[in-house]
Amino acid sequence: MRIFIINLVNETERLSAVTSQCANYNLSYEVISAINGRKTPQNLLSVIVESHENSALTQGEIGCALSHLSVYATMDAENIPQALILEDDAVLSSSIKDYLAGAKEILSTKTPEMVLLTGNCSYNRSLKKTDSLNRQFHRVICGSGGHGYVINLAAARRLLHANRPVRLEADRWTVFRDLVGLKIWCSDLPVIKSCCTAPGTSTIGSERERVAKARGRAINRLKKKVSFYQLKRIKNMLLSKFDAASF
């Protein structure tokens, strides 16, 4: 499976940390230069972001979304069937290779699907796939975090179409699910954590807090433009009504 690490060029310590982990687990990887949204000229934002002035997307989020889109574009151009996408703050567990094998096994080759390995999920315990070594992957009710996930080509192409120009944050997974019909699974254990969980260690997280209410209103406006969005939302809400759990 191809592995892509998204890294801002000035974050050399983070890159060193995550690549050392990959080397330790004998994982080959490719580094993708992240797009620094904070350095994007203001006159370009109205071109690359839908309704930029009213979107309440921070420049950090815009750069992050564009960086993930660049990986999807590579998958599309090279017909890469599946890929693990890591951000440079990823902290890998010792079970990473086992869960990559499981994700490869359970992901469809046709239906747009992805597996979150990050652990910040609520999920339905009854809707699950099990790999040949009895590792379980559950259907996600709600989840976030872009620092570690496996995505197939069909899903990458859906996200390319849905988020160009940028409308949503890279990890607004459940809204993407409702918009474009992704099937999102999560591992039964957290496999990839983030080194930026402490307050103030994530610059994007700090920016998000300042605009959270305005961003919520912008997302609600976006949802109203989508045909049959409420029906899709209600269908997916049913996931949370039966046998839900979280970790």
Side-chain angles (χ1 to χ4, degrees):
M1 182 184 296
R2 297 272 288 275
I3 298 175
F4 296 95
I5 299 173
I6 297 172
N7 168 253
L8 278 171
V9 292
N10 62 314
E11 293 286 1
T12 54
E13 290 187 8
R14 286 190 184 184
L15 181 61
S16 177
V18 71
T19 55
S20 293
Q21 294 175 73
C22 288
N24 186 48
Y25 295 122
N26 295 312
L27 297 172
S28 299
Y29 58 85
E30 302 164 52
V31 178
I32 299 292
S33 293
I35 297 169
N36 191 335
R38 299 173 189 87
K39 294 184 178 180
T40 303
Q42 286 293 322
N43 62 330
L44 288 182
L45 292 176
S46 60
V47 177
I48 60 179
V49 181
E50 183 176 282
S51 304
H52 171 249
E53 291 185 359
N54 298 313
S55 70
L57 281 166
T58 69
Q59 287 181 277
E61 288 171 333
I62 293 165
C64 183
L66 291 170
S67 300
H68 284 257
L69 287 168
S70 71
V71 180
Y72 307 153
T74 299
M75 293 180 67
D76 181 37
E78 299 182 23
N79 284 306
I80 299 169
Q82 299 171 340
L84 169 65
I85 300 178
L86 299 172
E87 293 178 342
D88 58 13
D89 60 332
V91 179
L92 311 182
S93 77
S94 59
S95 59
I96 180 65
K97 294 187 78 170
D98 292 337
Y99 276 89
L100 288 183
K104 182 177 182 179
E105 183 180 333
I106 64 102
L107 280 178
S108 169
T109 57
K110 296 181 180 179
T111 303
E113 294 187 331
M114 59 185 298
V115 175
L116 299 182
L117 299 173
T118 53
N120 349 339
C121 299
S122 57
Y123 58 89
N124 187 296
R125 288 180 292 193
S126 298
L127 295 177
K128 61 188 177 183
K129 291 185 179 184
T130 304
D131 71 9
S132 57
L133 294 179
N134 209 36
R135 286 179 291 263
Q136 294 184 343
F137 299 84
H138 300 272
R139 279 287 291 277
V140 168
I141 297 169
C142 186
S144 63
H147 51 278
Y149 61 97
V150 177
I151 187 167
N152 70 7
L153 180 57
R157 286 174 170 163
R158 290 275 181 101
L159 292 175
L160 267 178
H161 178 75
N163 215 26
R164 290 194 303 191
V166 173
R167 300 194 288 171
L168 291 167
E169 302 87 334
D171 64 341
R172 189 69 72 163
W173 301 125
T174 46
V175 180
F176 281 127
R177 175 197 64 195
D178 297 341
L179 289 179
V180 300
L182 294 186
K183 280 190 176 180
I184 307 175
W185 306 89
C186 65
S187 52
D188 56 2
L189 295 170
V191 180
I192 302 174
K193 297 183 179 181
S194 169
C195 67
C196 296
T197 55
T201 56
S202 169
T203 53
I204 289 180
S206 300
E207 291 174 346
R208 279 181 173 177
E209 292 174 5
R210 293 195 292 270
V211 297
K213 290 183 179 179
R215 183 63 190 142
R217 292 191 293 268
I219 289 174
N220 287 334
R221 289 194 297 269
L222 172 63
K223 291 174 179 177
K224 290 177 181 178
K225 296 179 182 178
V226 178
S227 300
F228 305 111
Y229 179 83
Q230 291 303 324
L231 288 177
K232 296 174 184 176
R233 184 182 67 85
I234 291 168
K235 174 186 173 182
N236 287 307
M237 280 179 60
L238 294 176
L239 291 172
S240 65
K241 300 299 182 183
F242 305 101
D243 207 16
S246 62
F247 65 97

